[in-house]
């Protein structure tokens, strides 16, 4: 029996006995190469349910499937538990909308250089959104690694000695070999994970340009996977460079073609952050009324993502953000003037 | 303050320059958002062209064109050696490939323990801060951690109410007893007033250098805990014109450096 030296008090979310999860995978995940194309509306209706433990691919405001985030809000999902793995604009919007009321935090309630998030902070400080536990970015990374491996935990050397560990779902044990304390990070199997990628075939074989962040591990740990893609490409194109497949078809449940689907987040090599839009959100979300106005204008007030894109500037905006991404135009950021 | 003439540079510029000068050529540094990024990029464009900058989201050894907004945005792997993953970077850190970790902080105690999680009780926060992000990982796993923080009595505190990121915990040997990597820990602390290191025997914060025009009294007045003093105190060299020009080039929008 491994000697347990300390134990975090955080709530353990998304963990399953490895045999239970393996059984679930055996019974529920199709191995068939079949056409998985769906609309975003269908994919959200089918795979994201009230109370689900949700994880979003990318990096909070980099390569986030905002098309799905807005659709979750449009369909008024309730009581979602969010994996706060570098949760930035994605979490801010989801918490602000009221769809998420619990979060496990590696990073949340802030927007990196842009500062703290008014909506996220208001929700957590009023108790509308509850922090179920703390961890770190590598802590979350390795929860998904354990999930992907189908093992109950990953031993690690971060978190030790900190209050982050005291509020996490980790335990500290004595390593039977070195006899040093090691942190045991429990596996996480999100009910559903959502990714935005540049290219994917109809079966779900997805390519990613730029950093993978945690997507490799998260896609393989989650029970259900929705992929939105800038474009659907032929399986033959995937097969020409199969080493570029970051997410393989057998973990993917739905494929949705959504050009510009990560707006206003950064889509590497295609478009940079839309700081004008994020700035508008940060300004409007300073009050509950402004927050409601934002959702009325950009989510409930438009029938779908295409209409949203027209509202935020359409092709002109996309071309400008492509120029910023490729360093051809300077960044316009209204929040800079207020710093 | 004992200055008679107003300096031509800002405190932020000075902190960025000191940050850059602290880094060594042909070493690896894992950087956080804001000033740590700027310090590392400046070092690469001055005395440390072989400095390998690493970002937690997976960017390894980029030629960062302009200041990224995120440690994961596309600027962090621009013309990089690798656009890898967080698993790759954090594993490298844990295995000993990362010489310097570079963090900002909200509150710090004399052992370099950092709080970026919460002000007030954790269960009912007065102010909720972002949490660890990659800070705990960097502070735990990088060999030498550099901390940039604007010091005052509310930030240099007797006890942090939440240790988000471990410094030397409660003193000598505490990191190793907790299981953290041998010999790792905080290395320098850079503020708008001074530069600190940690006393070898007690692992307590020790004043090492004063910025131009700053006295030890100024520094003491901006800390809630007693500061150790090195035997000889250095004085920080002010930013050069070239350094200031490079800072504008790195952050043309003035996101951190200002306009």
């Amino acid at each position: 029996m491994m000697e347990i030296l300390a134990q975090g008090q955080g709530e353990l979310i998304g963990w399953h006995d490895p045999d239970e999860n393996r059984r679930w995978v055996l019974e529920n995940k199709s191995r068939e190469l079949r056409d998985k194309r769906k609309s975003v509306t269908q994919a959200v209706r089918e795979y994201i349910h009230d109370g689900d433990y949700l994880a979003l691919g990318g990096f909070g405001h980099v390569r986030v499937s905002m098309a799905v985030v807005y659709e979750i809000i449009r369909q008024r999902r309730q009581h979602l538990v969010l994996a706060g793995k570098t949760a930035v604009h994605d979490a801010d919007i989801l918490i602000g909308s009221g769809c998420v009321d619990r979060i496990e935090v590696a990073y949340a309630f802030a927007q990196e250089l842009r500062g703290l998030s008014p909506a996220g902070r208001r929700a957590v400080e009023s108790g509308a959104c509850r922090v179920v536990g703390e961890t770190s970015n590598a802590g979350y990374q390795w929860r998904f690694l354990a999930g992907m491996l189908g093992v109950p935990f990953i031993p690690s050397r971060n978190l030790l000695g900190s209050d982050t560990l005291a509020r996490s779902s980790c335990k500290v044990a004595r390593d039977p070999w070195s006899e040093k304390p090691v942190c045991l990070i429990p596996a996480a199997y999100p009910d559903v994970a959502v990714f935005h990628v540049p290219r994917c075939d109809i079966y779900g074989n997805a390519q990613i340009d730029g950093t993978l962040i945690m997507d490799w591990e998260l896609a393989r740990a989650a029970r259900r996977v929705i992929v939105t893609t800038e474009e659907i490409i032929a399986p033959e194109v995937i097969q020409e460079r199969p080493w570029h497949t970051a997410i393989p078809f057998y973990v993917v449940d739905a494929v949705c073609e959504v050009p510009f689907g990560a707006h206003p987040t950064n889509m590497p090599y295609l478009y940079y952050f839309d700081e004008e839009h994020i700035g508008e959100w940060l300004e409007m979300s300073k009050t509950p009324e402004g927050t409601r106005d934002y959702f009325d204008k950009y989510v409930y007030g438009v029938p779908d993502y295409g209409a949203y894109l027209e509202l935020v500037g359409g092709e002109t905006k996309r071309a400008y953000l492509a120029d910023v991404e490729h360093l051809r135009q300077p960044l316009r950021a209204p929040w800079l003037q207020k710093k | 303050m004992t200055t008679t003439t107003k300096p031509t540079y800002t405190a932020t510029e000075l902190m960025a320059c000191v940050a850059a000068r602290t880094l060594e050529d042909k070493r690896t540094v894992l950087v956080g958002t804001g000033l740590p990024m700027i310090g590392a990029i400046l070092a690469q464009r001055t005395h440390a062209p072989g400095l390998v900058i690493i970002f937690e989201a997976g960017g390894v050894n980029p030629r960062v064109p302009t200041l990224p907004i995120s440690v994961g945005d596309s600027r962090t792997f621009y013309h990089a050696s690798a656009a890898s993953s967080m698993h790759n970077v954090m594993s490298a850190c844990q295995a000993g490939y990362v010489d310097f970790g570079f963090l900002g902080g909200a509150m710090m105690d004399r052992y370099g323990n950092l709080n970026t999680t919460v002000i007030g009780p954790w269960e009912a926060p007065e102010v909720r801060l972002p949490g660890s992000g990659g800070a705990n990982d960097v502070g735990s796993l990088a060999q030498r951690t550099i901390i940039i923080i604007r010091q005052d009595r509310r930030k240099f505190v007797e006890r942090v109410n939440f240790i988000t990121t471990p410094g030397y915990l409660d003193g000598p040997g505490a990191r190793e007893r907790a299981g953290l990597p041998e010999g790792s820990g905080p290395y320098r602390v850079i503020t708008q007033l001074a530069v600190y290191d940690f006393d070898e025997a007690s692992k307590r914060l020790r004043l090492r250098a004063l910025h131009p025009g700053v006295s030890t009294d100024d520094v003491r007045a901006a800390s809630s805990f007693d500061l150790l003093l090195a035997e000889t105190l250095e004085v920080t060299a002010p930013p050069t014109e070239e350094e200031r020009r490079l800072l504008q080039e790195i952050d043309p929008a003035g996101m951190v450096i200002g306009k």
Side-chain angles (χ1 to χ4, degrees), chain A residues 253-272:
Chain A
D253 296 284
V255 176
C256 318
E257 191 172 37
V258 191
F260 208 13
H263 176 275
T265 71
N266 172 215
M267 187 67 186
Y269 303 103
L270 293 177
Y271 42 93
Y272 203 55

Side-chain angles (χ1 to χ4, degrees), chain A residues 46-297:
Chain A
E46 207 164 323
Y47 292 113
I48 304 182
H49 310 104
D50 288 353
D52 273 359
Y53 170 36
L54 167 71
L56 296 162
F59 200 66
H61 50 158
V62 178
R63 209 163 41 66
V64 176
S65 180
M66 290 305 293
V68 166
V69 167
Y70 293 131
E71 187 58 28
I72 290 170
I73 298 167
R74 193 174 287 112
Q75 294 189 21
R76 298 181 193 266
R77 286 291 171 279
Q78 295 286 298
H79 308 300
L80 297 174
V81 186
L82 188 66
K85 43 162 289 283
T86 317
V88 189
H89 190 66
D90 50 1
D92 209 10
I93 292 277
L94 278 170
I95 294 170
S97 73
C99 296
V100 165
D101 58 15
R102 281 166 294 163
I103 183 167
E104 181 180 25
V105 175
Y107 180 99
F109 318 116
Q111 290 249 2
E112 292 199 61
L113 263 193
R114 301 180 200 103
L116 297 175
S117 313
R121 274 189 56 189
R122 200 164 49 241
V124 72
E125 289 167 15
S126 72
C129 181
R130 189 166 62 82
V131 176
V132 299
E134 306 281 339
T135 186
S136 65
N137 284 355
Y140 235 131
Q141 163 71 63
W142 289 331
R143 287 203 73 187
F144 299 140
L145 177 64
M148 164 188 162
L149 291 177
V151 296
F153 63 84
I154 286 286
S156 80
R157 304 189 73 190
N158 59 338
L159 298 167
L160 294 159
S162 70
D163 291 321
T164 309
L165 187 139
R167 292 292 178 179
S168 76
S169 54
C170 300
K171 299 185 186 207
V172 180
R174 193 172 299 288
D175 164 26
W177 286 277
S178 72
E179 299 190 350
K180 290 175 177 172
V182 286
C183 180
L184 308 185
I185 298 177
Y189 304 93
D191 293 315
V192 57
V194 184
F195 302 88
H196 188 68
V197 303
R199 293 172 302 279
C200 184
D201 69 14
I202 60 172
Y203 307 125
N205 292 300
Q207 298 182 346
I208 291 173
D209 297 332
T211 52
L212 293 169
I213 312 157
M214 308 186 195
D215 292 0
W216 179 278
E217 294 81 9
L218 172 57
R220 290 155 175 81
R223 286 188 164 186
R224 293 295 185 194
V225 171
I226 299 172
V227 173
T228 59
T229 178
E230 291 284 327
E231 63 171 326
I232 288 180
I233 56 170
E236 293 73 27
V237 179
I238 293 285
Q239 288 157 9
E240 277 167 23
R241 297 174 186 274
W243 59 92
H244 283 191
T245 302
I247 301 174
F249 72 96
Y250 55 84
V251 302
V252 175
D253 296 284
V255 176
C256 318
E257 191 172 37
V258 191
F260 208 13
H263 176 275
T265 71
N266 172 215
M267 187 67 186
Y269 303 103
L270 293 177
Y271 42 93
Y272 203 55
F273 302 104
D274 185 350
E275 291 299 336
E276 292 169 299
H277 186 79
I278 295 174
E280 187 180 350
W281 158 253
L282 289 174
E283 195 55 39
M284 291 180 83
S285 64
K286 281 179 179 164
T287 63
E289 300 71 38
T291 305
R292 276 196 296 275
D293 290 345
Y294 177 89
F295 291 114
D296 282 342
K297 180 175 175 188

Side-chain angles (χ1 to χ4, degrees), chain B residues 84-164:
Chain B
S84 67
S85 65
M86 185 173 284
H87 180 48
N88 176 66
V89 166
M90 292 304 189
S91 302
C93 205
Q94 186 163 260
Y97 285 98
V98 175
D99 299 309
F100 294 103
F102 215 148
L103 299 175
M107 278 170 286
M108 192 188 81
D109 69 15
R110 71 183 75 220
Y111 295 113
N113 300 308
L114 293 169
N115 174 18
T116 53
T117 301
V118 68
I119 297 172
W122 184 83
E123 294 85 351
E126 284 160 30
V127 180
R128 174 67 210 201
L129 300 169
S132 161
N136 179 288
D137 311 315
V138 172
S140 296
L141 304 175
Q143 192 60 15
R144 292 185 281 181
T145 306
I146 303 165
I147 298 157
I148 298 196
I149 183 169
R150 279 185 179 270
Q151 78 172 91
D152 60 38
R153 296 180 70 87
R154 289 172 302 116
K155 290 187 170 175
F156 270 30
V157 293
E158 190 65 39
R159 277 178 68 86
V160 290
N161 66 318
F162 193 98
I163 300 180
T164 309

